[in-house]
Amino acid sequence: MPGPTADLFAEDALRQPAGREQIGEQSYVLRGYALPWVERLLPELRRVLAQSPFRQMVTPGGFTMSAALSSCGDLGWTTDSSGYRYTPLDPRSQQPWPRMPGVLRELAVLAAAEAGFLDFTPDACLINRYVPGAKMSLHQDKNERRYSEPVVSLSLGLPAVFLFGGHARSDKTRKVSLFHGDVVVWGGVDRLRFHGVMPIKDGVHPVMGPQRINLTLRTAG
Ligand code: MD6
Ligand code: FE
């Protein structure tokens, strides 16, 4: 009998090959888009995380986020009791965030173009780590200075159910399953839609282990 690892592996290998699934007027899931890049990305990700390790942050409301966060690029996203913001320094080390790996930037720029956003110049990449049970409550990405550029989101490891809502928190959400190697690009009229991640199910991914890592690239400054 194949165990959960074998099942997940089969899912990654057998699901629809690279295709563009539209999930909003200006939002797309690029299935498996990052799979050919993963081998080059992982050593860079390890370097980034050695310099700025994952840490659990506290929201302004006093809740500890279940996803652990890090960042790379000129700016990194932080939350604490005084609010959400981008900072040039990692508050943990008081040093600049690790530089954004060239291969990550390249992947994101090509993915953005694939979705119709031709001049994406990301300067920040937020890295989220979810262990089984961790989730992300509905939120809008609105700490960036300009909303004219899209957000590019790369999923690695365990699958997730992504919730894609509307412009009001109470709007109905659509469920989108995201797998290892999938890239979501959204922007334009969809840029400020509420979104979140349902609690990650138990499992062990053959490449990433018992976790999901999500990288979101933005133009923050
Ligand atoms: C996640 N993603 O997938 C969290 N934000 O783990 C986000 O919050 C997100 O995927 C903006 C655009 C795309 C995203
Ligand atoms: Fe977000």
Side-chain angles (χ1 to χ4, degrees):
M1 277 292 278
T5 300
D7 288 347
L8 277 169
F9 186 58
E11 258 171 52
D12 283 339
L14 294 176
R15 75 202 149 77
Q16 267 195 345
R20 201 174 81 152
E21 244 170 78
Q22 190 162 11
I23 58 167
E25 215 175 310
Q26 292 184 275
S27 308
Y28 298 89
V29 180
L30 309 177
R31 292 288 175 201
Y33 191 81
L35 288 175
W37 299 68
V38 169
E39 222 176 304
R40 273 176 296 158
L41 278 168
L42 291 182
E44 296 290 335
L45 184 59
R46 256 176 247 124
R47 177 187 61 74
V48 164
L49 293 170
Q51 201 178 322
S52 284
F54 284 121
R55 77 292 305 265
Q56 277 181 292
M57 293 186 187
V58 177
T59 66
F63 295 99
T64 299
M65 294 178 68
S66 59
L69 271 61
S70 182
S71 282
C72 63
D74 294 341
L75 294 168
W77 188 86
T78 301
T79 172
D80 59 21
S81 52
S82 61
Y84 304 118
R85 62 194 175 280
Y86 283 96
T87 60
L89 301 185
D90 177 348
R92 181 178 168 277
S93 63
Q94 292 299 322
Q95 296 296 308
W97 293 100
R99 71 176 169 76
M100 186 184 294
V103 57
L104 180 59
R105 179 193 307 272
E106 216 178 301
L107 165 65
V109 167
L110 289 173
E114 202 72 32
F117 298 97
L118 294 182
D119 297 302
F120 185 40
T121 55
D123 59 9
C125 176
L126 171 56
I127 312 169
N128 292 306
R129 174 182 194 256
Y130 301 78
V131 293
K135 64 180 174 65
M136 183 74 72
S137 305
L138 281 182
H139 67 278
Q140 292 170 295
D141 286 19
K142 57 176 188 186
N143 299 120
E144 298 75 25
R145 195 159 296 157
R146 281 177 295 150
Y147 300 141
S148 51
E149 299 207 31
V151 179
V152 173
S153 156
L154 160 62
S155 294
L156 296 172
L158 291 176
V161 177
F162 189 64
L163 298 172
F164 195 45
H167 285 88
R169 188 181 296 275
S170 56
D171 286 350
K172 193 170 157 354
T173 59
R174 158 185 186 154
K175 293 188 167 95
V176 182
S177 291
L178 295 180
F179 300 94
H180 182 68
D182 287 350
V183 174
V184 182
V185 181
W186 77 30
V189 296
D190 295 322
R191 180 62 180 72
L192 289 176
R193 284 170 70 154
F194 277 89
H195 56 280
V197 177
M198 303 228 328
I200 301 296
K201 291 199 180 128
D202 262 325
V204 180
H205 188 271
V207 177
M208 303 302 293
Q211 61 178 344
R212 168 174 186 262
I213 292 182
N214 176 260
L215 300 99
T216 49
L217 294 95
R218 311 96 189 279
T219 308

